[in-house]
Amino acid sequence: MCFTYALQFYDKAVIGHAAVFGLRADLGLENGLKYSETSIILYVGCIVGAYPMTYLVQRYPAAKVCSTLVATWSIVVLCTPACTSYAGIMVNRFVLGLLESAITPAFMLITGMWYTKQEQALRSSIWYSFSGGSNLISPVINWGLGHITGGPLKSWQWMFLVAGVVTLVWGVALWFIFPDNPVYARGFSEEERAWLLQRTRRNNAGAENPKFLSYQFRECILSLHFWGLFLITLLVVTGGGTIAVFSSIIFKGMGFNKYESLLLNIPQGAIAFISILGSGWLGRKLPNARYHLISIGCMPVILGCCLLWQLPTASYGARIFGEYCLVLFSWPWTQCIGLGTSNVAGSTKKSTMAAGVFIAYCIGSIAGPLLFDAKYAPRYDLSFSVLLAFYCVAALLAQLVRFHLKRENDRRDREYGPPSDLHGLEDRTDRENTNFRYSL
């Protein structure tokens, strides 16, 4: 899961590195929002594919679905160097987003399948942290590839070819090494498999059911909890939508050359890796403070937006620090991933919640690049001021959702007493199962 998530992030973010090595000029993406639209169309593909792909993960063995999709999108990445126009790269990015759309919801569901509610925040942070880990390595690889000047291919084309080959090899390997679920995982005895199921019974999240239950779908999309988490996710990932695609361009706008701009991405990867794991660890140690952690995680991003918006261009050190602060959007987003699986019960309802949270991530990732129109370059002052407002609203909204869920937990304690795991393996939703308690 960790390496797969690293490759997913690498494959969609390599365009941000290729941009400063001639991709924008070669494909006519230097004017207006054309370059931003290559990021937007990827997430449009993710939105289109989110629910159908999540249904496939629910209906068929998740490991086989994921490995097939990884191998398939590697072909799309390998075809990217063949793009010669704006239209070609837009089609390429849409298909890439469509195929990648299953991974985050699938991993959310797999985490819920294997781990208890108390463990899920940390486990989710481990595989998600490899998006930051990818950014520790990929700039170094692409820095080397950026020095290629001879031959029929340009340096930015080599970046996509290398990424595609690695992903293809991993997609084939994944078919054989990724277990479908605890029941069929190799290396466990029958007693150990039974224990794996029993330990997750305390989640009160229900058993896996391949059938689509329409009432659970309706219950999810009509709940305040769903829309609260949806809006929080949308707001906190807007900063992330800009980092993957625009970091190198923002650094270049500060006066650094293309090689320096690329290497300045490496600390971002380290910051993301540490902050994601830190957020997950705190989510495990402080299980009823997870919405508080979302609000706290918004504060460094707010600081970063203020620095980038208000400081003069000559303040290079402080503005670079501000750009690195934006990477900490991953702190609250990590909590959203965990809450998207641990705070809901019922097989179809869990799938709906996971896909919904991912769609919110996609919309936020679309909104981020839209803020960075070329006419605001190189400082993007208006862009950072709008991001500032988004994170202020997200911090407040997290506390309102927490208040709502705490009130519901208190009501259930008064009316039904302490929770048990009596119905823990039945396919009941969190509304139907009165023993379910929400993580706060």
Side-chain angles (χ1 to χ4, degrees):
M1 288 172 70
C2 294
F3 194 63
T4 303
Y5 210 81
L7 286 175
Q8 183 215 29
F9 185 84
Y10 184 15
D11 290 343
K12 69 183 177 185
V14 68
I15 192 171
H17 300 166
V20 295
F21 284 88
L23 176 140
R24 288 191 299 164
D26 290 346
L27 302 186
L29 307 177
E30 293 183 304
N31 298 321
L33 286 169
K34 282 191 173 182
Y35 177 65
S36 298
E37 288 164 359
T38 64
S39 175
I40 292 167
I41 196 66
L42 180 139
Y43 290 106
V44 170
C46 288
I47 291 172
V48 172
Y51 276 108
M53 292 296 183
T54 304
Y55 173 73
L56 288 178
V57 172
Q58 180 186 349
R59 180 69 179 82
Y60 301 102
K64 299 300 183 285
V65 173
C66 290
S67 59
T68 302
L69 291 173
V70 171
T72 306
W73 92 53
S74 71
I75 306 300
V76 178
V77 177
L78 287 168
C79 290
T80 308
C83 297
T84 58
S85 65
Y86 169 74
I89 194 67
M90 290 291 281
V91 172
N92 179 276
R93 298 287 285 177
F94 175 82
V95 176
L96 180 62
L98 190 72
L99 295 170
E100 287 192 351
S101 63
I103 297 301
T104 300
F107 283 9
M108 292 168 68
L109 293 173
I110 291 168
T111 302
M113 188 189 306
W114 282 83
Y115 300 106
T116 66
K117 290 174 75 171
Q118 292 74 24
E119 296 169 338
Q120 286 172 22
L122 180 57
R123 295 311 189 279
S124 296
S125 73
I126 291 172
W127 56 258
Y128 179 61
S129 70
F130 275 69
S131 60
S134 171
N135 214 26
L136 280 170
I137 299 171
S138 59
V140 178
I141 296 171
N142 292 328
W143 180 85
L145 295 173
H147 285 82
I148 297 176
T149 55
L153 298 178
K154 297 185 177 180
S155 57
W156 68 263
Q157 293 173 310
W158 280 109
M159 295 177 186
F160 286 100
L161 288 176
V162 170
V165 168
V166 173
T167 305
L168 178 59
V169 172
W170 180 248
V172 174
L174 204 60
W175 180 277
F176 300 100
I177 63 177
F178 197 9
D180 291 325
N181 55 50
V183 176
Y184 298 106
R186 293 191 297 268
F188 295 105
S189 65
E190 291 300 321
E191 293 77 11
E192 288 170 333
R193 290 191 179 99
W195 178 78
L196 285 170
L197 289 176
Q198 287 300 320
R199 70 187 294 272
T200 57
R201 180 173 185 162
R202 73 189 77 164
N203 292 343
N204 278 308
E208 298 306 309
N209 183 354
K211 293 182 179 179
F212 177 84
L213 302 177
S214 59
Y215 86 92
Q216 291 193 8
F217 175 81
R218 289 193 302 271
E219 184 178 309
C220 183
I221 63 173
L222 293 176
S223 67
L224 288 175
H225 166 220
F226 171 81
W227 288 107
L229 190 59
F230 184 96
L231 290 174
I232 293 169
T233 300
L234 189 158
L235 292 169
V236 300
V237 300
T238 49
T242 66
I243 290 166
V245 181
F246 278 94
S247 283
S248 297
I249 295 173
I250 291 170
F251 287 134
K252 194 174 181 183
M254 293 180 186
F256 299 99
N257 65 39
K258 59 185 179 182
Y259 298 106
E260 293 168 340
S261 300
L262 196 58
L263 294 177
L264 282 168
N265 283 276
I266 296 175
Q268 288 185 327
I271 294 167
F273 188 77
I274 294 169
S275 69
I276 293 167
L277 289 177
S279 179
W281 182 79
L282 287 173
R284 172 73 185 272
K285 293 296 181 181
L286 307 170
N288 283 323
R290 295 170 71 177
Y291 281 97
H292 289 329
L293 291 172
I294 291 175
S295 297
I296 292 169
C298 290
M299 298 303 126
V301 186
I302 291 170
L303 172 62
C305 290
C306 290
L307 293 174
L308 289 163
W309 174 28
Q310 292 294 320
L311 288 178
T313 304
S315 300
Y316 294 119
R319 297 192 82 234
I320 291 172
F321 176 75
E323 175 68 15
Y324 290 157
C325 283
L326 297 188
V327 182
L328 293 171
F329 88 93
S330 52
W331 177 291
W333 166 226
T334 301
Q335 295 301 323
C336 292
I337 292 173
L339 290 167
T341 56
S342 65
N343 254 12
V344 66
S347 186
T348 299
K349 191 171 182 180
K350 284 189 290 185
S351 298
T352 305
M353 175 69 85
V357 169
F358 181 65
I359 286 175
Y361 166 82
C362 295
I363 295 173
S365 298
I366 289 172
L370 279 176
L371 298 175
F372 286 76
D373 194 311
K375 66 185 178 183
Y376 303 136
R379 285 184 52 88
Y380 298 103
D381 286 339
L382 181 61
S383 309
F384 290 119
S385 64
V386 175
L387 279 181
L388 170 65
F390 282 0
Y391 281 91
C392 290
V393 173
L396 175 62
L397 186 57
Q399 296 309 302
L400 293 177
V401 174
R402 187 182 189 279
F403 174 78
H404 167 69
L405 295 179
K406 187 176 186 304
R407 187 171 61 176
E408 176 62 18
N409 282 350
D410 292 343
R411 183 189 69 80
R412 293 186 180 201
D413 286 341
R414 288 195 306 271
E415 295 184 9
Y416 306 111
S420 70
D421 60 4
L422 179 63
H423 304 293
L425 294 179
E426 298 175 19
D427 191 15
R428 298 188 180 193
T429 68
D430 45 281
R431 181 180 294 178
E432 294 174 309
N433 187 353
T434 57
N435 289 305
F436 190 92
R437 297 295 185 271
Y438 296 99
S439 299
L440 303 175

